[in-house]
Amino acid sequence: MCQLLAMNSSKPAAVDFSFAGFAERGGRTGEHKDGWGIALHTSGGCRLYTDFLPSIDSPLAAHIKQNPIKAKNVVAHIRKATQGRISLENSHPFTRELWGRTWSFAHNGDLKLFHPNPSLYAPWGDTDSERAFCHVLSGLALRFEQAPPRHLLYRALETLAGEIAAYGTFNFILSNGELLFAHCSTDLHFVVREYPFSVAQLIDCDLSIDFSKHNHLDDRIAVIATQPLTSNEAWTKLAPGELKLFVGGQEVGSAPERREEWQLAVCY
């Protein structure tokens, strides 16, 4: 199976520490050698980098590690092919436009016999993953003419994910640059880094970082991965069939968004 990595942050942040350990799984500490990719949702839009080479051998992956880009949402993937050729168009994440935003998607699993009828979105490659992504976005676009409140979006995604998961394993990450959804079929974990920050040690390479030296009191970052990336942090495992929504570096669930009501105080 493939490997997933995602980040959702309260402020633009670099994912270089987590990506350094994650990239090792693309051929050195893992057998996922069939390509990799990363989508970074920055203030200037979504920047997508993909390669069909293993992440440990990819000059592009090395460039990303050496030149980190700050983003509030990140979706990354290293591939072990189960369906589709080893090619650039089959490397995750995949991106499409919906309701004026760029959505990025990466999948871990195998959706046997999943061949939905073509709808509003069509795949460019020949993977079950991209077919699932197109089906999800088509389903959302047909349900809502414009972007719905996030609790309605959550419910629609929960329904669509359940329907697709009936065909096999459907672990996925989906983001529109503000919201980040994580759905678990088998393996998916997350950790929230916030004050008081501490030292983290990567599992896949000899690298550690003291987050207290790099973050402010109000910083908060959620990191999601197929398997935990660090050995000394308390990662939470998602339950099979569970859909999580992350906003501003924290898991917010499916409740409607709460907006503060401001009242103007008049002094006499």
Side-chain angles (χ1 to χ4, degrees):
M1 294 292 182
C2 306
Q3 294 277 305
L4 300 171
L5 167 67
M7 182 191 76
N8 173 263
S9 177
S10 60
K11 301 176 185 178
V15 75
D16 52 327
F17 174 72
S18 294
F19 184 72
F22 181 70
E24 294 293 298
R25 299 179 180 182
R28 182 167 289 118
T29 61
E31 57 183 353
H32 315 88
K33 299 181 180 180
D34 300 327
W36 72 278
I38 187 169
L40 302 119
H41 292 269
T42 71
S43 59
C46 181
R47 301 171 68 170
L48 177 66
Y49 302 87
T50 58
D51 197 348
F52 59 85
L53 295 174
S55 55
I56 61 164
D57 298 327
S58 168
L60 182 57
H63 177 79
I64 295 294
K65 286 187 284 187
Q66 295 165 7
N67 300 274
I69 299 169
K70 290 188 175 182
K72 292 184 71 173
N73 285 274
V74 174
V75 178
H77 181 273
I78 50 179
R79 185 180 183 221
K80 180 183 178 183
T82 54
Q83 296 187 40
R85 296 166 289 115
I86 299 173
S87 62
L88 199 58
E89 62 268 27
N90 285 337
S91 295
H92 309 213
F94 306 107
T95 59
R96 295 289 193 281
E97 300 294 321
L98 175 63
W99 305 317
R101 283 182 172 272
T102 299
W103 293 70
S104 60
F105 172 92
H107 165 232
N108 161 21
D110 191 10
L111 300 169
K112 297 186 183 301
L113 304 179
F114 182 71
H115 295 278
N117 293 325
S119 188
L120 302 179
Y121 294 85
W124 299 330
D126 53 1
T127 65
D128 53 335
S129 304
E130 192 180 14
R131 289 195 296 271
F133 178 41
C134 291
H135 185 72
V136 166
L137 286 195
S138 294
L140 294 178
L142 291 171
R143 283 170 168 81
F144 308 107
E145 291 185 4
Q146 56 187 5
R150 74 186 192 196
H151 68 286
L152 296 181
L153 179 60
Y154 179 98
R155 294 303 181 196
L157 273 173
E158 193 174 42
T159 298
L160 288 163
E163 293 172 353
I164 296 173
Y167 290 87
T169 305
F170 195 41
N171 304 295
F172 73 79
I173 304 292
L174 174 70
S175 180
N176 67 355
E178 177 188 0
L179 313 175
L180 189 141
F181 294 90
H183 179 265
C184 177
S185 280
T186 53
D187 286 307
L188 206 58
H189 300 73
F190 77 93
V191 65
V192 175
R193 295 169 178 154
E194 58 188 343
Y195 180 84
F197 294 97
S198 60
V199 175
Q201 173 67 54
L202 288 174
I203 293 172
D204 296 271
C205 59
D206 186 16
L207 183 64
S208 63
I209 188 171
D210 186 348
F211 285 113
S212 67
K213 297 180 179 179
H214 299 273
N215 291 279
H216 298 95
L217 296 179
D218 58 344
D219 289 343
R220 187 174 54 245
I221 301 170
V223 178
I224 304 95
T226 300
Q227 294 294 332
L229 294 165
T230 55
S231 59
N232 60 338
E233 293 183 292
W235 290 76
T236 299
K237 181 177 172 60
L238 275 67
E242 188 173 15
L243 178 68
K244 292 285 190 183
L245 169 59
F246 296 87
V247 181
Q250 64 182 337
E251 194 270 314
V252 300
S254 59
E257 182 177 6
R258 296 179 60 185
R259 298 184 181 275
E260 296 184 4
E261 295 183 0
W262 297 89
Q263 294 183 347
L264 179 64
V266 180
C267 298
Y268 294 93

